[in-house]
Amino acid sequence: MANGPNPAAVVTAIVAKDVRQRLRDGSFLVFGLLLPLGVAFFFNMLLGGDAQQRTGSTYAVVNGDDGTLGENLVDGMLRPLDEDGVLDLVVVDSEDGAREAVEDGDADAAFLIPEDFSRSLDSGEEAVLTVVGDAESPVAAYIAQEIGRAYATEHHRITLTVASAFDTEPDPEAAALLLEEAESARAPLTVAENDGLDTRQLDTATYYSASMAYFFVLFAAMFNVTSIFEERANGTLARMLASPIPRWTILTAKLSSGLLIGLVNMAVLALATTLLFGAEWGHPLGVAALVLTGVLAIVGLTAAVAGFASGSEQAANWLSVLAMLLGAFGGALFPISQLNELAVVSYLTPHRWFLEGLTDLSAGGLSAVLVPCAVLLGLGLVGTAVALLRMGRMVKS
Amino acid sequence: MPVLEVRGVSKRYGKNLVVDDVSFIIEEGETYGLLGPNGAGKSTTIGMIIGILQRDAGTIRIDGAEHSVTNSRTKALIGFAPQEIAVYKDLSARDNLRFFARLYGLSGARARAKADEVLEMVGLSDHAGEAVSTFSGGMARRVNIGLSLLNDPKLLILDEPTVGVDPQSRNSILESVQALTRGGLSVLYTTHYMEEAERLCDRVGIIESGRLRAEGTQRELVAQVGEDDTVLVTLGGPADKALDRLRALDRVSEVSADGTRIRLLTEDARGVLPSVLRTLTEEDMDIRSVEVQEPDLEAVFLRLTGKGLRE
Ligand SMILES: Nc1ncnc2c1ncn2[C@@H]1O[C@H](COP(=O)(O)OP(=O)(O)OP(=O)(O)O)[C@@H](O)[C@H]1O
Ligand SMILES: [Mg+2]
């Protein structure tokens, strides 16, 4: 023991102790698993991003038309979409059967083609195409409506009406509500070529799984990084400083335990959301690189900010605000497009780079993560350097 | 060779010189008490000795070797129990011990064995797996002290180890310290309870406002100050009329009265007590109680600083 204990063993011991404490106080469970999973689940449900929508929702169609135009809509428009895997098409016999299918959740929406569809169009009258949507999956209704609209624009005399599955008669009020919901829910999934949405987007399940996991990883890291303040206050830091360990091992351990907890969180969440919500994170190597650099960036920033605080409470306050700002401006809480001209600010946040990395990964190859990873790594290193400088004070004599 | 040698050590916080040119040594097997009131500089002195505070002047040698905040060899010789209970309250006593054992270089199996040994020593084996947060104050104190024994120190430093514990736990703590010193351990013990210093310490240093005012065995200190015994007599009525006769008694140096209480200073309380009592009886005074106080560290402290230890 002449030269003191082995530094690697010391760092390991401190990290193990910190992790044990985080398991005891429940912060790992709450901030690392329950909250991100819960919130992702909530958004996922709210915005209708169930697993089916990744491959396409199921749509029922009733072709009551005694002419040829109804067939034209089914075979010329809906079937090709089915074949392309955009949606699953189910042909049903009656309007009641279609409504029932939507009501029971067997279909997400239904197209009702009336008996007089061709006749009306041929005779120059208005024809009505009805879309029945389930209020609980507004996105599906929205897509169905877009499809209907695409067809209607080709045939100018088609009026599109939208109905909720729970009304036997199309109720204008409910329809308006449903439409409104559908419009505001605008899931990042594109169907029609002409709707102008960016096709390079994550699907709902993946977006919310990844953004919530990354949003909450800051909190998970926070408890480890700020625990040094508690150790100072309760005297255990003095005990560590009095022991024959090199001082740098203490800070190294604090940052390492934040990193470790963050990585474990992200790994578990990636797995859990894949299994539970059908999230598709992407190529494991690319995801691993993004998660590693992404968590490093968060731990670095967290520690850097904490380094300027005077105690754990102040640090926790500052970091909670930071988490919200980064989440909001980084596109983790709502899509960046809603930031409008402020969107450029998002490039200052690791969240933007992390989510963009995942998006690029899903669209392009592995190499697409290089730039986001490099930026995240840079943020992490700068943050860590600042943190070591500032926190160094705490282990100085 | 002394286990601890402190020479001319000073520490300044801003303009405040909180430790001012303090020097003392602790020999092998010796228990040294640092006695002083709140804010005297005891903990700051200890901080420099355990190597968590940089000193502004002076030298410290541990077992003959130059000591510093980065010297892991000298640090490994010291066991330290801070004034506050410095443990992870959410972890069990055993986990606390195992963790700090590893910081002293004990690996897995040895750390576990040492933790068990210390738990036994401080009488907490039955509660080893329980979180310290569920412990009584006295039990937590014992964990705090146990942590300082993990590395089989040559010098044990206990900073006010009995603050806030019940009399029974205090007694058991004092007994274990005595047992450790019988085993040849050197101890630096700070307190502002003079009874503890009197009971435990071979030598005592009196520190006040950062300065070591006096140092020696209890007897030396008392002799150095030459404090008289105090005789306190409480009467059933006013004390005034006997004062002149009491002052005239042999070997009584000072007499003062405070309502129904008479305070006599004398170099020999036992010798003068019979004549004091006889005088009071002759004056028809109703004696309620008599108390003789031998010179103690408290009195020494009063003489040196004009203050009480717990003022
Ligand atoms: N970090 C610090 N910065 C400024 N002043 C300090 C600091 N630590 C201690 N002091 C001051 O130094 C003086 C000595 O404090 P110290 O803790 O050494 O006293 P003590 O003898 O241990 O007292 P107590 O019996 O209350 O524990 C006090 O006046 C205290 O306010
Ligand atoms: Mg103190």
Side-chain angles (χ1 to χ4, degrees), chain B residues 39 42-44 83 159-160 190:
Chain B
K42 303 184 293 293
S43 295
T44 307
Q83 181 170 353
D159 195 358
E160 304 198 30
T190 79

Side-chain angles (χ1 to χ4, degrees), chain A residues 1-5 9-10 12-14 17 20-21 24 231 234-236 238-245 247 397, chain B residues 51-54 69 72-73 75-76 80 82 84-88 90-92 95 99-100 102-105 144 147:
Chain A
M1 217 207 293
N3 292 310
V10 169
T12 311
I14 300 174
K17 186 269 300 171
R20 193 188 287 265
Q21 284 186 292
R24 282 283 157 85
E231 298 224 25
N234 70 21
T236 47
R239 252 192 211 290
M240 286 201 242
L241 292 172
S243 74
I245 62 172
R247 296 184 167 214
S397 15
Chain B
I52 67 174
L53 288 179
Q54 203 90 48
V69 294
S72 57
R73 203 191 67 76
K75 279 180 158 185
F80 164 56
E84 72 272 34
I85 296 174
V87 303
Y88 301 103
D90 49 343
L91 298 183
S92 68
D95 286 342
F99 169 64
F100 283 107
R102 295 182 68 185
L103 300 195
Y104 281 90
N144 199 44
L147 288 169

Side-chain angles (χ1 to χ4, degrees), chain B residues 102-119:
Chain B
R102 295 182 68 185
L103 300 195
Y104 281 90
L106 299 184
S107 59
R110 281 168 67 221
R112 284 196 292 277
K114 192 70 202 178
D116 290 345
E117 185 189 321
V118 169
L119 281 166

